[in-house]
């Protein structure tokens, strides 16, 4: 999938040049595709990872093209059923227990595979220690912990799509969906790809400030959200996964988990390689 995406973006010619270039050199036989792309196109995180988050963490310019393509592929096989948030009038119907167990096992397996794959690539299968995790990998502030976490997320998506498609119809889940708070209606709403594209085209990625983007949501037959998951890759691996707090913007000082819960009306769950799906008491 990656070569096709990158080729499409190159042909489109619609991506901006990044401000800085730190990753250079020739691609080797063990290079992950995104890292090979970064060597060929230094500093262009959005172009090579499809992740606006990586671009933000790396502190550089971002562009719409790659993210729009990557997000579109995440729902390419899904029909137009729009995710609905639980309400007093419309409550979601929980998935069957045996099916949910299979889904959560599949999610955990994909997270662990991604974690191991990226560690194999960078550290010959060993898990980085605390000293390495805290070292700067890119630019002036991107640590190994942030760098590895974002690449492990990207490595997880193909596995998740393949695994989930075997268990549920593709319109019954979304990967990294985005939601925004509608000030006029006083409620959270799902943002379709056209809306996201229009905002980014007009305002850049800053236009999405205040929106939220959980990693996985599961829907019932009517499209109502019934499960929410967020993937975490602690570094070092002995750290426990936890909900971070927003440090700026409208949701400053709020827990990510609390915000997801209030926004989507479903108790979100963390997933990490070591702990699997974490069931917390709320």
């Amino acid at each position: 999938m990656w070569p096709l995406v990158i080729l499409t973006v190159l042909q489109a010619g619609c991506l901006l040049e990044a401000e800085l270039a730190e990753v250079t050199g020739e691609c080797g036989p063990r290079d992950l595709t995104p890292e090979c792309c970064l060597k060929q196109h230094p500093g262009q995180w959005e172009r090579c990872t499809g992740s606006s988050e990586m671009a933000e963490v790396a502190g550089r310019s971002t562009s719409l093209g790659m993210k729009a393509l990557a997000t579109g592929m995440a729902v390419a096989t899904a029909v137009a059923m729009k995710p609905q948030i639980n309400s007093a009038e419309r409550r979601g119907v929980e998935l069957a227990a045996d099916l949910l167990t299979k889904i959560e096992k599949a999610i955990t397996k994909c997270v662990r595979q991604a974690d191991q794959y990226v560690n194999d690539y960078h550290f010959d299968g060993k898990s980085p220690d605390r000293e390495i995790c805290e070292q700067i990998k890119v630019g002036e502030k991107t640590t190994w912990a942030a760098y590895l976490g974002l690449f492990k997320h990207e490595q997880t998506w193909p596995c998740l799509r393949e695994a989930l498609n075997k268990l549920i119809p593709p319109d019954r889940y979304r990967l990294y969906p985005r939601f925004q708070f509608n000030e006029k209606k006083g409620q959270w709403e799902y943002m379709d790809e056209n809306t996201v594209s229009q905002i980014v085209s007009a305002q850049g990625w800053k236009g999405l400030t205040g929106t939220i983007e959980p990693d996985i949501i599961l829907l019932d037959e009517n499209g109502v959200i019934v499960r929410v998951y967020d993937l975490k890759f602690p570094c070092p691996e002995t750290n426990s996964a936890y909900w971070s707090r927003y440090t700026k913007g409208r949701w400053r000082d709020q827990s990510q988990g609390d915000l997801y819960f209030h926004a989507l009306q479903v108790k979100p769950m963390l997933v990490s390689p070591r702990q699997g799906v974490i069931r917390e008491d709320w």
Side-chain angles (χ1 to χ4, degrees):
M1 180 183 72
W2 272 106
L4 177 59
V5 173
I6 295 172
L7 177 61
T8 302
V9 174
L10 287 171
Q11 291 175 336
C14 61
L15 296 179
L16 301 175
E17 291 292 324
E19 295 175 350
L20 301 176
E22 291 95 355
V23 182
T24 58
E26 296 182 357
C27 296
R30 295 177 63 249
D31 274 333
L32 301 176
T33 304
E35 293 198 333
C36 178
C37 176
L38 284 169
K39 288 181 178 181
Q40 296 175 332
H41 308 284
Q44 298 188 34
W45 298 96
E46 188 76 1
R47 177 180 195 162
C48 293
T49 69
S51 171
S52 60
E53 187 178 10
M54 174 65 92
E56 291 172 9
V57 170
R60 61 200 66 259
S61 299
T62 59
S63 58
L64 173 62
M66 188 63 196
K67 182 65 176 181
L69 283 170
T71 306
M73 286 190 176
V75 295
T77 58
V79 297
M81 183 164 63
K82 181 180 178 180
Q84 302 291 323
I85 297 173
N86 275 295
S87 65
E89 299 79 20
R90 191 175 189 181
R91 305 299 299 178
V93 178
E94 184 59 89
L95 279 66
D98 58 340
L99 175 59
L100 185 59
T101 297
K102 292 178 181 178
I103 289 174
E104 293 188 346
K105 285 183 177 179
I107 293 173
T108 298
K109 182 178 179 180
C110 288
V111 167
R112 288 173 175 164
Q113 285 183 352
D115 182 69
Q116 187 64 49
Y117 188 86
V118 176
N119 283 346
D120 284 347
Y121 171 74
H122 284 290
F123 307 107
D124 294 326
K126 298 179 181 179
S127 179
D129 59 25
R130 187 175 303 278
E131 181 179 359
I132 293 176
C133 292
E134 294 175 353
Q135 289 178 2
I136 299 299
K137 165 64 175 173
V138 176
E140 298 180 354
K141 62 180 182 179
T142 303
T143 62
W144 266 105
Y147 182 88
L148 292 170
L150 291 169
F151 267 117
K152 287 174 181 179
H153 271 81
E154 295 302 319
Q155 190 65 33
T156 306
W157 306 137
C159 177
L160 284 173
R161 293 187 190 105
E162 180 179 0
L164 294 178
N165 284 344
K166 292 178 180 179
L167 296 170
I168 54 177
D171 63 338
R172 297 283 299 279
Y173 73 90
R174 296 288 188 278
L175 301 182
Y176 47 89
R178 193 175 289 274
F179 299 83
Q180 67 178 347
F181 187 73
N182 187 316
E183 297 286 354
K184 294 182 179 179
K185 296 181 180 179
Q187 63 187 31
W188 286 86
E189 296 178 341
Y190 172 73
M191 302 177 70
D192 60 44
E193 299 313 312
N194 287 335
T195 300
V196 173
S197 297
Q198 290 171 7
I199 291 175
V200 176
S201 295
Q203 305 175 41
W205 287 99
K206 291 183 178 180
L208 296 178
T209 299
T211 63
I212 61 174
E213 189 183 37
D215 287 322
I216 308 169
I217 60 172
L218 303 181
L219 315 175
D220 70 6
E221 293 182 350
N222 296 314
V224 181
I225 301 170
V226 293
R227 290 279 166 166
V228 178
Y229 302 92
D230 212 57
L231 313 182
K232 302 293 183 182
F233 295 91
C235 189
E237 66 177 9
T238 51
N239 284 356
S240 295
Y242 65 92
W243 293 108
S244 58
R245 289 188 175 274
Y246 295 94
T247 59
K248 58 183 179 180
R250 178 171 186 171
W251 316 118
R252 182 176 179 177
D253 296 328
Q254 289 196 38
S255 162
Q256 184 186 31
D258 287 341
L259 182 58
Y260 284 6
F261 175 58
H262 292 302
L264 306 178
Q265 296 298 300
V266 174
K267 294 179 180 179
M269 286 178 283
L270 294 172
V271 187
S272 76
R274 184 169 64 89
Q275 297 169 278
V277 176
I278 303 171
R279 304 189 181 283
E280 299 175 313
D281 292 329
W282 287 66

